[in-house]
Amino acid sequence: MSDQEILPRISKATLEAVAADEKMNLDTLRARVHSGEIVVWGQADGAVKPMGIGTGLRTKVNANIGTSPDFPSLDDELEKLHAALSVGADTIMDLSIGGDIDAIRREIRAACNVPLGTVPIYQVAIEAEQRYGTMDKMVPDQIFEVIERHAADGVDFMTLHCGVTRQSVAALDSEGRLCGIVSRGGSMLANWMQANNAENPLYEDYDRLLAILKKYGVSASLGDGLRPGAIADASDRGQIAETQVLGELVLRARQTGVQVFVEGPGHMPLDQIPGNVILQKHLCYNAPFYVLGPLVTDIAPGYDHITAAIGGAICAAAGADYLCYVTPAEHLGLPTTDDVVEGVMAARIAAHAADVVKRVPGAAQWDEEMSQARGNLDWKTMIELAMDPGLVIERRGERATLDPAACSMCGKFCSMKIDMARRHAAKPVS
Ligand code: SF4
C-alpha cells in the first residue's frame, strides 16, 4: 500500500515532522507505519500537530475531558482542554455524555490542535435512550451513523469496543469477576447484546466500520471493553479472550489500510504488568499499546493519578506506547481543571521515566542536564529544565532561604554547596 492509502490525511511534510521531532530516520518511521507498529496523526493543513505512537517513539500522554449529565458545561471542558494542553498533554479524548454532544465535540475539535479521539458508542446509547427510553433499543445502523458523524467532524481516532463479543463476554462470565465490566462502552454493548440476543455489530459488521474509518482517514483504537477494573480481576479469561479477538481485528484493519492500535488495562498488580505487555504485543502483532493506568492498587481513591503513574511507568518501560492519564477524581467524580493538570503531570512523569529506560532519544539527556544544573546549584537552568517550571518557582518562593544559592531544606548546610567547595579545593592526586 502507498503512504496515501494508509495516511490519506497526512502529507509527506507531516511524516517528516514526526521523524524530525522523534529523531527517527524517515525510512524507519515509514516502514513502521506500513508494518503497523507506529500510528501517525496530523492534518496536511497544520490544524492538527503531527504526532506518532509506537515502537521507538516517545511515550505519549492522553487527557480525557468531556461533559457528564450532571456537569454539561462546554466552557468547563474547554478550560480543561486548554489546561491539559498547557501542561503537555499529547492528545485529547472527548468523552462527553452530557449536553449537546455534537456541538461540544465540534467546539472541542475547533479548539484542539493535537490529535483528538472520541468514543461514539456513548452517543449512540444516549440517543437510543432519548428516542426509545432505553439503550437496549440501539439500532446497529445508528452505531455506524454516529461513527460516521464523528469521523466527518474530523476526529483523529475513535475507541471502538469491537472485541466485546458473545464469546469474550461468555469467557468473562464463566470465570466471574469482582467488578464485572467497568468500561462504559463495554458495559453498554454487553448489555445490548444480552437484551437482544445478538452479536456486537462492531464485530459482526467490522468491514462496514473499516470502510467508514478508511473513507475519513480515522484510526481505530480497539477498546478494552472487558479490561479488569479490580486487581483481583486482572489477566482473567474475559480480558485475554477480548485481546485475542482484537489481534484478529488488528490484521483486518491493516489489510484494509486503516491505522490501528489497541487499548489495555485497567487495574493490574505490579508483577503482572510486564507479562501483560508482552502478551498484548504478541497477540496484537505489535500494534501500538494504549493503556489506562494501569492502577496497581484499588485502595487509594483520591490518589489514583499516583497508582496509575506507578503502573504506567512500568507498563511503558515494558513496551506500552501511549498512556491515558488518570486524575485524582478517578472513581469519585468528574475531574476539575486542577485534577486534569495533576493527571497530565503524573502521566508525563510516568511516560518520561519509561522513556529513559526505553532509550528514547533525548530522554536520559534531559535528566543529565537537570542533574548537572542541580550539582552546580544553577537554579535558573533547573527552572528552565523542570517539567513544571511554575511550580518550582512557586515552591522556592514559599520557603525562601537566607542563602539564595541553596534552598531552605538545608540552608547553609547545603550538601551541594559543601561538596562543590570540596571539589574546587581538591588537589589532583599525584
Ligand atoms: S539546601 Fe539541601 S535540599 Fe536544598 S539544594 Fe542544597 S542540598 Fe539540596
Side-chain angles (χ1 to χ4, degrees):
M1 276 185 209
S2 66
D3 285 2
Q4 201 51 37
E5 282 175 290
I6 303 175
L7 309 168
R9 282 189 193 178
I10 294 176
S11 65
K12 184 164 176 274
T14 303
L15 217 49
E16 288 169 348
V18 173
D21 182 43
E22 300 277 359
K23 299 183 177 58
M24 180 178 277
N25 176 286
L26 182 59
D27 290 340
T28 304
L29 176 68
R30 182 178 280 117
R32 289 179 184 172
V33 170
H34 280 257
S35 72
E37 280 183 83
I38 285 179
V39 165
V40 292
W41 299 299
Q43 290 185 6
D45 61 4
V48 172
K49 187 177 170 187
M51 184 85 61
I53 54 168
T55 307
L57 303 184
R58 183 171 57 80
T59 306
K60 304 302 185 302
V61 167
N62 175 73
N64 290 336
I65 59 171
T67 58
S68 74
D70 293 334
F71 294 95
S73 163
L74 168 64
D75 288 346
D76 287 357
E77 299 314 308
L78 288 175
E79 183 181 290
K80 291 178 199 173
L81 167 69
H82 294 304
L85 295 178
S86 74
V87 291
D90 295 297
T91 67
I92 298 290
M93 288 193 75
D94 170 24
L95 309 187
S96 291
I97 55 170
D100 183 342
I101 296 171
D102 285 329
I104 291 166
R105 180 178 61 257
R106 287 165 192 155
E107 291 281 349
I108 288 174
R109 170 73 287 177
C112 178
N113 67 348
V114 300
L116 177 69
T118 57
V119 191
I121 196 68
Y122 299 166
Q123 190 169 5
V124 181
I126 290 162
E127 291 183 1
E129 196 170 75
Q130 288 165 348
R131 205 171 298 168
Y132 311 118
T134 169
M135 65 177 79
D136 289 353
K137 295 204 171 150
M138 278 191 305
V139 177
D141 278 347
Q142 290 169 339
I143 298 177
F144 296 101
E145 186 272 316
V146 173
I147 288 170
E148 184 145 16
R149 217 187 297 164
H150 285 221
D153 283 344
V155 308
D156 299 282
F157 63 95
M158 295 179 197
T159 292
L160 301 154
H161 303 89
C162 309
V164 179
T165 63
R166 300 183 80 170
Q167 179 262 331
S168 61
V169 174
L172 182 146
D173 288 339
S174 71
E175 188 171 5
R177 270 190 175 181
L178 275 184
C179 274
I181 299 176
V182 299
S183 154
R184 200 192 278 169
S187 68
M188 288 169 172
L189 278 163
N191 182 63
W192 180 89
M193 288 157 61
Q194 185 167 308
N196 293 278
N197 193 25
E199 183 54 281
N200 179 352
L202 293 172
Y203 177 74
E204 199 166 52
D205 223 348
Y206 189 58
D207 288 336
R208 182 177 176 185
L209 169 63
L210 290 177
I212 297 170
L213 300 178
K214 185 160 177 65
K215 177 179 170 189
Y216 292 93
V218 174
S219 309
S221 181
L222 296 179
D224 51 345
L226 303 185
R227 68 172 173 268
I231 292 295
D233 295 338
S235 309
D236 72 350
R237 282 180 213 156
Q239 181 199 330
I240 304 303
E242 182 186 39
T243 308
Q244 286 178 306
V245 176
L246 297 183
E248 167 204 332
L249 300 180
V250 162
L251 291 186
R252 287 174 61 190
R254 287 179 183 169
Q255 283 157 6
T256 313
V258 170
Q259 293 199 103
V260 61
F261 54 105
V262 179
E263 299 183 14
H267 291 227
M268 185 152 287
L270 284 172
D271 61 347
Q272 292 185 25
I273 293 173
N276 261 265
V277 177
I278 292 167
L279 187 64
Q280 189 280 342
K281 287 268 181 175
H282 179 69
L283 292 176
C284 295
Y285 305 94
N286 286 323
F289 192 21
Y290 176 30
V291 293
L292 176 68
L295 282 66
V296 295
T297 176
D298 300 336
I299 53 85
Y303 295 97
D304 275 329
H305 56 315
I306 296 173
T307 62
I310 294 168
I314 294 167
C315 205
D321 306 284
Y322 184 25
L323 304 181
C324 186
Y325 85 165
V326 171
T327 77
E330 184 76 9
H331 300 115
L332 302 174
L334 191 71
T336 63
T337 300
D338 287 346
D339 292 329
V340 166
V341 169
E342 285 196 53
V344 172
M345 291 309 301
R348 283 191 62 202
I349 295 165
H352 174 75
D355 285 347
V356 170
V357 297
K358 282 164 127 177
R359 302 188 190 283
V360 168
Q365 188 186 344
W366 187 3
D367 287 68
E368 282 173 22
E369 288 171 4
M370 175 62 95
S371 294
Q372 195 162 27
R374 194 167 277 152
N376 292 332
L377 288 169
D378 176 355
W379 291 96
K380 181 172 173 292
T381 305
M382 277 189 263
I383 290 166
E384 285 167 6
L385 289 172
M387 209 177 251
D388 186 347
L391 185 64
V392 177
I393 294 168
E394 185 185 316
R395 281 292 168 99
R396 249 178 92 67
E398 274 171 8
R399 291 283 172 108
T401 170
L402 294 173
D403 184 350
C407 78
S408 59
M409 177 76 180
C410 326
K412 67 180 180 181
F413 301 110
C414 172
S415 63
M416 298 287 188
K417 200 172 165 182
I418 294 168
D419 197 57
M420 216 186 314
R422 182 190 67 82
R423 281 181 280 144
H424 285 151
K427 300 218 169 10
V429 179
S430 59

